[in-house]
Amino acid sequence: MASRVLLLTLLALVLSQAIASDPSPLQDFCVADKNSPVFVNGLVCKNPNFTTPEDFFFKGLDQPGNTMNKLGFNVTLVNAMMLSGLNTLGISLARLDFAPNGLNPPHTHPRATEVFTVLEGTFYVGFVTSNPDNKLFSKVLNKGDVFVFPEGLIHFQFNVEKTNGVGISGLSSQNPDVITIANAVFKSNPPISDDILAKAFQLDKKTVDWLQTQF
């Protein structure tokens, strides 16, 4: 009896992992109806009789993003909100533009694995494994190189060149979302107590207060 319970428990765990991603479509497509007031896990399907080729089309990914900011970085995301035909297909795309020495700072995608391809430039990239090892896997990438960042792991991309850099990322979710670590920690609303942050980062409270003002 105990072995049967253990087997069922293991089976449940395996099945939960198997479906722990965007759900598979049950029809040819489910173009998002962004005007629907109905709230669902994802986006409501538009009546297929009213679907047009424009629902599967996005224009403008050839245009550079504005990198005039502190990080020298810009992302142009094409997800189901931008391209309705992506709804339920479990995939999205992003153009990443970098100024010289631009940085996409440490962040994570809670719902997606990312595949990053270098179009122009040279990048130092990497991701960190979960506790307790926190092992860094990093690599210098050149034009045409590809690197994968596993789902949920903290990762970064840094343009090491003195010229602009460009990359394209494919993400395994129609809504991968992003959590930028520094923003989440020092820019939360309401703010996390400086007592907590000072202890977590082993810093004095004045330093924590200063860091919070930077965001």
Side-chain angles (χ1 to χ4, degrees):
M1 183 66 177
S3 60
R4 183 177 298 178
V5 171
L6 178 60
L7 178 62
L8 291 174
T9 301
L10 290 173
L11 181 61
L13 288 171
V14 170
L15 289 175
S16 68
Q17 290 300 309
I19 62 174
S21 60
D22 287 18
S24 298
L26 299 177
Q27 58 277 324
D28 287 346
F29 52 80
C30 171
V31 171
D33 181 358
K34 290 178 281 190
N35 297 317
S36 173
V38 179
F39 186 81
V40 298
N41 183 26
L43 295 167
V44 174
C45 297
K46 178 180 179 179
N47 187 328
N49 293 327
F50 302 140
T51 300
T52 71
E54 297 300 312
D55 292 319
F56 303 93
F57 174 75
F58 178 89
K59 183 176 182 179
L61 212 59
D62 61 319
Q63 299 299 312
N66 183 2
T67 58
M68 298 292 290
N69 52 63
K70 290 182 178 180
L71 295 172
F73 168 73
N74 183 277
V75 59
T76 304
L77 179 64
V78 184
N79 60 9
M81 289 301 296
M82 302 297 296
L83 179 54
S84 300
L86 286 176
N87 191 39
T88 75
L89 298 184
I91 192 170
S92 55
L93 184 71
R95 170 177 172 142
L96 285 64
D97 285 282
F98 297 79
N101 296 139
L103 171 68
N104 187 6
H107 63 282
T108 178
H109 302 292
R111 292 180 287 277
T113 292
E114 176 181 354
V115 180
F116 176 69
T117 303
V118 178
L119 299 184
E120 295 291 342
T122 301
F123 293 87
Y124 173 60
V125 307
F127 66 86
V128 180
T129 63
S130 54
N131 298 346
D133 293 337
N134 300 131
K135 184 175 180 180
L136 172 64
F137 288 85
S138 63
K139 188 80 175 173
V140 174
L141 306 181
N142 296 296
K143 184 175 180 178
D145 290 343
V146 178
F147 198 84
V148 62
F149 305 104
E151 181 176 341
L153 296 187
I154 295 173
H155 59 282
F156 60 87
Q157 295 120 343
F158 176 62
N159 178 18
V160 301
E161 295 282 3
K162 301 299 183 183
T163 56
N164 292 335
V166 184
I168 290 286
S169 284
L171 299 122
S172 63
S173 172
Q174 71 176 53
N175 182 27
D177 224 330
V178 61
I179 301 171
T180 303
I181 307 307
N183 289 2
V185 172
F186 296 110
K187 194 185 175 182
S188 66
N189 184 23
I192 299 173
S193 165
D194 55 6
D195 289 310
I196 292 173
L197 295 179
K199 189 163 187 177
F201 289 94
Q202 297 296 289
L203 299 170
D204 61 83
K205 289 173 63 175
K206 287 185 178 180
T207 302
V208 170
D209 293 339
W210 178 82
L211 285 168
Q212 289 178 317
T213 64
Q214 302 307 300
F215 294 89

